[in-house]
């Protein structure tokens, strides 16, 4: 699928007079309808975001999902960050787990969350922060993260 241009202000029904724009391409090759059984890949190519305050380009972002009986593997690769997640993953409840883990090292950006007891969130996470400083313009412009920093958690 090709996304020519999206006016995020209208799609998200944001209460602002400023238009936020995004454009790029998405290539999806996914199998399944249950998020916890889905496998395959999604690639985002040549993404561009623009608002009056911020602009950002993303040449490529790839998400690969592999499923096995004992362990799953989700890999996210981009210009700014790489993330590897291995283990049994409840995709619908992974965000609070990751946000809580990130709160231990980036407490000014993330807060610990209540983690649902699903029995399927037992995994290892490796994060390679190639250079996330261009992304920090959306969160905290006073924060600087040394390129090639890593986070490992279980």
């Amino acid at each position: 699928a090709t996304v020519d241009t999206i006016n995020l202000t209208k799609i998200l029904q944001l209460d602002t007079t400023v238009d936020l724009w995004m454009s790029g391409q998405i290539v999806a090759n996914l199998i399944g309808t249950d998020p916890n059984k889905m496998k395959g890949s999604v690639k985002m190519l040549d993404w561009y975001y623009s608002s009056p305050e911020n602009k950002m380009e993303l040449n490529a972002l790839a998400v690969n999902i592999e499923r096995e009986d004992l362990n799953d593997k989700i890999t996210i690769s981009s210009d700014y960050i790489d993330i590897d997640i291995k283990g049994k993953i409840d995709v619908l409840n992974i965000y609070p787990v990751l946000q809580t883990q990130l709160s231990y090292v980036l407490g000014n950006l993330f807060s610990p969350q209540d983690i649902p007891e699903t029995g399927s969130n037992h995994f290892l996470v490796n994060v390679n922060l190639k250079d996330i400083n261009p992304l920090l313009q959306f969160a905290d412009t006073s924060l600087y993260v040394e390129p090639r920093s890593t986070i490992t958690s279980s």
Side-chain angles (χ1 to χ4, degrees), residues 93-127:
N93 291 303
I94 195 170
Y95 183 71
V97 176
L98 293 175
Q99 187 172 351
T100 297
Q101 293 297 316
L102 288 171
S103 74
Y104 300 142
V105 292
L106 296 169
N108 56 333
L109 294 178
F110 298 95
S111 300
Q113 300 294 306
D114 291 329
I115 299 172
E117 293 295 328
T118 64
S120 294
N121 269 335
H122 305 286
F123 51 84
L124 302 172
V125 179
N126 292 308
V127 179

Side-chain angles (χ1 to χ4, degrees), residues 44-119:
M44 297 172 61
L45 305 168
D46 302 321
W47 278 86
Y48 178 77
Y49 169 83
S50 174
S51 73
E53 299 85 24
N54 302 310
K55 293 183 180 9
M56 186 184 85
E57 292 184 30
L58 178 66
N59 294 324
L61 179 133
V63 178
N64 292 305
I65 306 168
E66 300 173 24
R67 303 284 184 184
E68 294 182 8
D69 291 337
L70 297 177
N71 285 312
D72 302 326
K73 181 178 180 183
I74 299 176
T75 305
I76 302 169
S77 302
S78 76
D79 304 339
Y80 302 106
I81 187 170
D82 289 339
I83 302 173
D84 291 318
I85 306 170
K86 297 175 188 171
K88 283 319 280 179
I89 305 161
D90 180 349
V91 186
L92 298 174
N93 291 303
I94 195 170
Y95 183 71
V97 176
L98 293 175
Q99 187 172 351
T100 297
Q101 293 297 316
L102 288 171
S103 74
Y104 300 142
V105 292
L106 296 169
N108 56 333
L109 294 178
F110 298 95
S111 300
Q113 300 294 306
D114 291 329
I115 299 172
E117 293 295 328
T118 64

